[in-house]
Structure formats: C-alpha cells, structure tokens
Amino acid sequence: MTTFEHNGFTYVTPEEYKSMFAVLPQDVFYSNNEVSLNGNTFFKIKTPVYEKIKKKQNEYQEKVRMLNQCAELNDKGIALEKSGDISSAIAIYEENISGNCYPATHSFDRLIVLYRKSKDYENEIRVIKKAIKVLKMEKYKERLIKANELLTKSKKKK
C-alpha cells in the first residue's frame, strides 16, 4: 500500500516517513503518529504539514544534488590543475560558479588565484564580486580592493 489522504491527514509508509527525517519538524517527529490499517503500518500527518514537509524535502534533495555536482566539478578541476591543464581547470571552475551555484569556496578561490597568476584582473574581479554575492565572506572584500589596484596599475602601464 502507498501514501494516501483521508479526512485532512496524509498517511505515509514507514519507508517514506524515514526518507523525510532530515526535514521533519520536531513536533511531528516526536508525536505518536504511527497507525495500523489492515495490517499495514502508516504514519499519520496533517495534510498541510505533509505538504510543507515534502516541499522542504525537495529543497533539501536539490541542495544535496547541487553539493554533489559541485564536489564532482571541484575534483575534476583539481585533477586538471595537477595535470597542468590550467585552461580546462578554469573552464570547470567557471562552470561550477555559473548560475545558481552551490555556495562553496573552492572554485571561487581557485579561479581568483589562477586569474591573478595570469594577470587577468578583470576576470579575477568578476569572480570576486560573485563570491561576495554568493558566499558573503569578508575575505573577498579585501581581495577585491587589491585586484582593483592591480587592474589600475596594469592599465597605467599600457
């Protein structure tokens, strides 16, 4: 038997209930909501609460997916850097910070270093600004000041 609704409650199987542990509100987790129907065990949750839990569960699963993708791309970037293929590593790290990226520092930090080493201050500044927006960490603000100074000096030399 699967999940079903009845009289304002959603009845879920033990397997589905276990899959929701990461996002269950404490009052639901600790409530005595286990029921037996026709020899099957279910957990009884008010339907509006169940819908909120499912929404949170979907958001949580999306964050886990994004984290896994981020880690996979970071691993590829690291391997490319170690093999000396810096331009491919940059492309992988850029992919990792594109769009609505997972808020992890590795790709931002590596791009900032790699752009600095190649004296590509405009891209370094672009990445730092995105890091500030996504990660909200003070260390990037100091880095932005230095990158802007280097960009100004490099333009004066030309």
Side-chain angles (χ1 to χ4, degrees):
M1 206 168 212
T2 60
T3 299
F4 66 94
E5 259 187 86
H6 180 68
N7 287 340
F9 288 91
T10 299
Y11 294 79
V12 299
T13 63
E15 293 78 23
E16 182 177 359
Y17 191 72
K18 286 177 189 172
S19 77
M20 298 185 303
F21 278 1
V23 295
L24 279 176
Q26 284 189 353
D27 61 326
V28 173
F29 184 80
Y30 290 111
S31 66
N32 186 12
N33 58 356
E34 189 174 329
V35 295
S36 184
L37 300 170
N38 298 329
N40 295 307
T41 301
F42 292 92
F43 290 86
K44 178 178 157 182
I45 304 170
K46 291 179 182 176
T47 297
V49 173
Y50 172 78
E51 290 168 354
K52 287 179 184 175
I53 290 169
K54 289 306 286 182
K55 182 180 178 189
K56 280 186 178 182
Q57 184 180 29
N58 290 337
E59 291 168 355
Y60 175 78
Q61 288 170 341
E62 177 59 15
K63 285 181 182 177
V64 168
R65 184 197 66 73
M66 288 175 69
L67 171 61
N68 289 334
Q69 179 182 347
C70 176
E72 190 176 301
L73 288 171
N74 281 339
D75 288 345
K76 284 181 186 178
I78 292 166
L80 288 164
E81 275 193 80
K82 285 182 180 178
S83 73
D85 190 352
I86 302 304
S87 62
S88 294
I90 287 173
I92 291 293
Y93 293 141
E94 285 285 358
E95 180 182 343
N96 214 7
I97 70 163
S98 67
N100 185 21
C101 63
Y102 189 83
T105 61
H106 182 79
S107 288
F108 288 102
D109 290 347
R110 293 310 303 150
L111 282 168
I112 290 166
V113 167
L114 295 172
Y115 285 135
R116 172 76 57 92
K117 283 182 177 180
S118 65
K119 298 185 184 338
D120 185 350
Y121 304 120
E122 290 174 354
N123 273 318
E124 179 185 359
I125 290 167
R126 176 186 54 79
V127 171
I128 293 170
K129 286 179 177 179
K130 181 152 187 180
I132 290 168
K133 182 179 176 185
V134 171
L135 303 171
K136 298 170 178 50
M137 295 174 71
E138 288 297 314
K139 73 176 188 175
Y140 294 106
K141 291 179 181 177
E142 294 170 19
R143 203 63 204 236
L144 181 60
I145 293 167
K146 181 67 176 171
N148 278 317
E149 289 171 359
L150 290 169
L151 178 62
T152 301
K153 283 181 186 177
S154 71
K155 284 183 177 180
K156 285 181 181 178
K157 287 181 181 179
K158 290 180 182 178

